[in-house]
Every structure is written in C-alpha cells, then in structure tokens.
Amino acid sequence: MSLIACIAAAGVLNTETTQAFSTEVFRVGRDPVYWVRREAAYALGALAKVAPFDLVFSTLVCLAWSRRLVTEALKRLVVQLNLYDILTKDRVWHVRQSALFALPGILSRLPAGQRKHLALSQTALLTRDPSRSVRSGVLEIMGEVIYSFRDDEGGPPTELVDLFIGRGENNGKPETENPPESNWNEAAGGPTWDLPETPFATRKPVERPARPPSFHSIFEDNSDSGSSSDSARELFGSRSSFLTGANQYSRDPERSLICAFNFPAVVLATGKDRWVELKVYYHVLTQSHVVKVRRTLGASLGEIARIIGPENTHQDLLPVWWDALHDSDAEVRMKVIKSLDTFVAALSLEDRVKVGKQLDTLWTQTLYGWKEREALAGLLGSLANSLAQADDFDSARLLAMRAIIDTVAAVREAAITAFPKLLKELSPNNQALDLAYADLYSLASTDIFRRRTAFTSACTALLVADHAHRLVNSDEFWSCLRSLSDDAVIDVRIGLARLVATLCERLYPDVYARPQAIADLIRKLYRDPSIDVKSYVSHLIHTPSSPLTAVSSSSSGQLFATFSRPPTAPSLLTDEMDDYEGDDDPAMDMDLENVDSTAQRQLPVEGSEPTNV
C-alpha cells in the first residue's frame, strides 16, 4: 500500500495501472488486520487525486461498476456503501484517522453539489468521533477541505467556516451581525506587551460573536463537550477591543496551532469579501500565549494582507503587524520581517508612506538582533519598489545607509547585495538618486575603516550589476579611489584593488584604451607592499584583457565581502611579474617570493586604525 501511494503521488500512472491499483486498494481495505486497512486508507487518498473521475466513483467511492450506475448515483445524490465509508466507520480509530486524510483528495475531484454534500456529512460524522485523535485530525484537514471549494460559486459552505473558527450557528446568520456591545480587556486572557509609541490612529473595535464557540469540544472528551497602553498604538491601531470570552477560543494550544497553519488557505478560499467571518478569530490567535502560533501567523501575515486587500489590511492587520514586530520572541519578529515586502506591497499608498517612515525607528529601537537586521536589509530592493510607488524615496534610502554602515558584516553584505536594486528603484527621482550617491561617496572619507571598505564593496556590486555609467562619469568617484589608494588599512586597499580589477574587466579590458586614472591606480596598487593587494592588479599591467572570470549579476553579497581572496591562476600572476619590462621603478621589479613577511595582511582590531609595518 505504501508503494502504491508513492507511485500515485508521483503522477506516473496510466489508466490500466490505476484500475489495477484501485482494485487492490479496495481488496486490502477490507483486510482483517487493522494496520493493513490503515495503509489502504493512505493509498486511497493518493489514488483519489490522480485517478480518472469515473474510476474514483466506481471503484473507490461508490462501487458502481458501470457508468450508468455512476450517473444514476450522482443524480440521486445517494451515498452508497463504499470503501471510504467503510474505512471511516472502522472499529479501530487508527483506520478512521487515516481515512479522513483521504477526504480532501476525494473532494477535489467531485462536482460542486456532491463536494458540499460529502464534506458536510463527513465532517459532521467525524467531529463526533469517540477518539480525540480523529477529532483532532478533522481540524488538520479542514484547511484543505475548505480550499477545495475555492472555485465554487459562493465559496466554501458557511458551516465549514464556522466549524473551522469554532463558531456555532445563529439561525443561519453570521454571528458578527448585531453583536452585543462589549470590549475585551487584556485581563480577560490576552497577552500584554510594553510597546513603544506608534503614530497610527486607533482602528474600530472588532465585533464579537453572540455566543461562545463550540468547536473546541473536538479536542476534549465527550464528557466535557457540553461544557498595553493606548498611546502605544496611536499610529497602527489598537487590538484591545475584543470579545469578553476570547480566551475560550484558544483554550487548547493544539487547536490554535493547527488553525494558524491553515488560516492562509481558508482566507484564500473565502476571499476578501468574507474576511469579516474570520477576522475575530484571527485576532484571537494573534494574541495566543503559544509562541509557535504567533510565529506561524507572522510568517503568513504578508500573504493574508495580499488576499484581503488594502482596506481590510489597514483596519485589521496593521495593529497585528506592529505588535508582532515588538513581540518578545525573536523568531516571531524574524518571521514578520521576512514577509515585510509582501505586506507593504499589499497596503494602500497612504499606509505605505506611514510604514516607510517607521522603518528607521524600527531599525534603531526594535531590531537589536543582527539576524533581524540582515533579513530586513535583504528586502531593501523590494521595499524600495513598493515605497517608490507611493512617492516615498527617502525611507528606503536612509535605511540602506544604516544597513551598509552596520557593525555586523552579514548585515552590510545583505545591504550591499540589495543596493543596486535600490538605486534602480530610486532612478525616477533624480534628487533621491543624487542623495543616494552622495551618501555612498561620503563613506570613502569616514574615519571608520569598515565604512571605507563598505564603499569599495558597494561600488563593486554596482559595477557587477551594470550600474557603472554614473560612477565612471563622476569626478568624486575617481577622487575617492585616489584617496583610498593610500589608505593605511590593508582591507581597504584590497577592496580598492578588487574594485579596480572589476572596472577593467567590465569596462576597460583593453590595456591601451584605459583612462589615465585607471592606469595610475593600477601602477600604484602594483607597488603596494601587500601581496594580497598586488594579486588583484598585477596581471593587468601587460595583458590586453583581464583573465578574471566574469562575475554574475546575481552573485551574493558575500562575494563582495571576500576581499582577501586573490584571483585564480597564480602561475599567470608570477609569469607576468617575471616578464615585466619597462619601468625603472625598482618596486615594479620586486619578486613575490622576496616580499617581507611583515607586509602580509593583518586584521585590524575593532575600534582602531591598524597600519602596515
């Protein structure tokens, strides 16, 4: 049975093989050994997804072996004795649990009317199962079950949505209609956070259901089945207005985690027009004390915002986003940051500007972990695209400069990798672009060697990404290069040598067509006492073209940070130095083997300006 399930999942079955597999699954599904029947239930679900429609009904579901009987069964909507029905009523709960996981695959193959009939009847049956494991399994598949209705007119049945969020029926009307007015305070079960002040206006209170939920009984024994401050949210809104019994929704941590994982599928199936049915329970989940629940919701925040639209996102998700960024768990913050570009793109233009103005504050006051800053720095290009559409060109530019001068190398590398895309997004605004280049050139004259090294790395990234035109036509750029050629820190000179080598590779492969400024820099770097500096430019002295391997524009930022790695082909380097003829300068004739060991590269000490011996 396991082999049949694997082959079916691979999707390589023909009609004859599918018929044979289906017959075997039906035979084994009635085996006297329970764990054999359990395996047959797994194979049933895999086959239901790939078998032809008639075969699904005739063999796996209805046992009506002729097309005439299948058609008649569909017309009468009769659920006959079938393999799936047999397995879901098995006396052993292990078999029933395995069978229910075949339900989404079967539902995806049925017409709309039969899909709804089977889904409602099976969920009603299985949610009353004596086994807690079976009842828990129903909730695990509920996201897939609801998603199978995504293309049906009217979307998923209300009964299934109510079952997912744990809401009872209310005479056929959504329970958010005409709710009693009541506010939920944080003492009623919601967590509290000491959040910084935020400039968003408080949103409208979320309406509460009229009665306590009932679906939590799925996780209980049958015997029990009957039974921050306002200023901190001025900008992004407040979540302090909730139902009084909100803690009843999340009384079982397992249920909350399963629902959080399935929430994006349910929202995608229901659409933004039915978000009102889900938002109350969504907010309750975001205030769960279970950290895994908050991590899961944080990871899907951007996708949910994209589905429900800017208006609903402004009303219901901005407060969630702000609170999640200030969560006490670092992994929650990381999940939210990784989905930030998708989230910002889903906002209205007005909200994008508001969020953009908060990025600098978040960087300096909230993101203390370097991994969080690294993740945000990697999104600079896509964030700049969304903010540029709202005519906000400064927020991403300022954030980029903070990332490039960060004290952690990984953060700087991520920012440098995203820097070319950022400049591309700023190009429609000449003033913003001029400021970005001015910020870049200012790094070359700073007293901190890490920033001077970041300048050479960023310029190399721009050259690799075909942004060379503006650089080489700027007098300030050449002035920066000349000043860095005398830098006391070897790391800076290595970065400069690598930049010069990339310039020759990309723009001036012909030695006779190089500008005088390039020739002077090559000559000066070739005289450098450090072998690492010299290794990048020595082959450029005579050769008409650069032997360096072309660097792909998709290279990672780590490539730009590896300044101490010399070009390949060391034999070529030695031969060219031995064959050099022409200059009277004795430094140009210096053999690599005779370089004093004291000239080797030494790592600078943090906070100091090391010098060469």
Side-chain angles (χ1 to χ4, degrees), residues 311-329:
E311 184 177 350
N312 289 327
T313 299
H314 170 82
Q315 178 70 19
D316 300 312
L317 294 192
L318 272 176
V320 175
W321 171 77
W322 183 257
D323 286 358
L325 280 176
H326 296 86
D327 196 278
S328 58
D329 183 74

Side-chain angles (χ1 to χ4, degrees), residues 55-342:
L55 189 59
V56 171
F57 256 82
S58 63
T59 305
L60 300 180
V61 178
C62 290
L63 297 182
W65 291 90
S66 70
R67 185 177 182 85
R68 182 184 61 80
L69 290 178
V70 171
T71 304
E72 190 68 17
L74 290 176
K75 289 181 179 180
R76 297 194 307 266
L77 298 179
V78 175
V79 180
Q80 302 179 13
L81 179 63
N82 54 78
L83 178 58
Y84 175 78
D85 188 56
I86 293 173
L87 294 174
T88 55
K89 295 179 180 177
D90 196 279
R91 65 182 184 276
V92 181
W93 71 264
H94 298 84
V95 180
R96 300 196 302 272
Q97 184 189 39
S98 298
L100 69 88
F101 287 103
L103 181 59
I106 295 175
L107 292 177
S108 64
R109 306 298 306 281
L110 302 183
Q114 286 68 42
R115 181 185 298 114
K116 180 177 180 180
H117 176 80
L118 182 61
L120 293 179
S121 61
Q122 288 300 307
T123 52
L125 171 68
L126 296 171
T127 53
R128 296 192 297 268
D129 194 277
S131 170
R132 183 182 187 278
S133 298
V134 176
R135 300 196 302 270
S136 175
V138 176
L139 188 60
E140 292 182 35
I141 68 168
M142 192 55 60
E144 293 183 78
V145 169
I146 293 176
Y147 185 72
S148 66
F149 292 87
R150 64 192 181 282
D151 297 325
D152 293 358
E153 184 178 358
T158 303
E159 296 89 341
L160 294 179
V161 177
D162 289 347
L163 190 63
F164 175 77
I165 65 176
R167 184 177 64 191
E169 297 181 358
N170 187 19
N171 299 325
K173 297 181 180 180
E175 295 190 21
T176 52
E177 295 181 6
N178 304 318
E181 294 185 2
S182 177
N183 291 331
W184 176 59
N185 53 44
E186 294 174 343
T192 60
W193 292 288
D194 185 15
L195 303 181
E197 184 173 354
T198 161
F200 255 98
T202 303
R203 64 177 181 84
K204 297 178 181 178
V206 176
E207 297 175 328
R208 73 178 181 95
R211 69 173 85 178
S214 58
F215 191 60
H216 63 262
S217 61
I218 283 181
F219 292 93
E220 300 169 1
D221 295 332
N222 288 342
S223 59
D224 298 331
S225 59
S227 58
S228 332
S229 65
D230 295 336
S231 62
R233 299 175 175 88
E234 288 181 6
L235 176 62
F236 295 107
S238 172
R239 295 192 294 151
S240 60
S241 298
F242 277 109
L243 48 153
T244 343
N247 55 336
Q248 298 182 19
Y249 276 88
S250 54
R251 58 191 299 175
D252 193 303
E254 182 183 354
R255 182 189 195 284
S256 298
L257 183 58
I258 294 173
C259 288
F261 183 81
N262 284 281
F263 224 97
V266 175
V267 175
L268 184 59
T270 55
K272 65 179 182 180
D273 294 333
R274 297 179 63 179
W275 169 247
V276 65
E277 301 178 37
L278 303 171
K279 65 179 183 179
V280 173
Y281 185 53
Y282 180 80
H283 280 284
V284 172
L285 288 178
T286 60
Q287 297 206 6
S288 172
H289 292 281
V290 182
V291 68
K292 290 184 178 180
V293 174
R294 303 201 303 277
R295 290 175 183 174
T296 303
L297 294 175
S300 63
L301 190 61
E303 289 300 323
I304 291 181
R306 183 180 58 83
I307 296 169
I308 66 177
E311 184 177 350
N312 289 327
T313 299
H314 170 82
Q315 178 70 19
D316 300 312
L317 294 192
L318 272 176
V320 175
W321 171 77
W322 183 257
D323 286 358
L325 280 176
H326 296 86
D327 196 278
S328 58
D329 183 74
E331 191 64 25
V332 174
R333 300 194 300 270
M334 178 66 79
K335 297 293 186 182
V336 176
I337 291 170
K338 287 183 177 180
S339 65
L340 182 59
D341 54 340
T342 308

Side-chain angles (χ1 to χ4, degrees), residues 382-435:
S382 51
L383 283 175
N385 177 272
S386 298
L387 296 174
Q389 296 176 22
D391 293 329
D392 181 6
F393 297 94
D394 291 332
S395 298
R397 175 182 63 83
L398 295 173
L399 186 64
M401 295 313 300
R402 283 198 178 275
I404 289 177
I405 66 175
D406 197 271
T407 57
V408 179
V411 179
R412 298 196 299 272
E413 292 171 16
I416 289 169
T417 302
F419 194 62
K421 186 177 180 180
L422 174 91
L423 293 185
K424 181 180 179 181
E425 301 300 337
L426 297 180
S427 57
N429 188 298
N430 291 330
Q431 182 179 3
L433 194 62
D434 291 340
L435 290 173

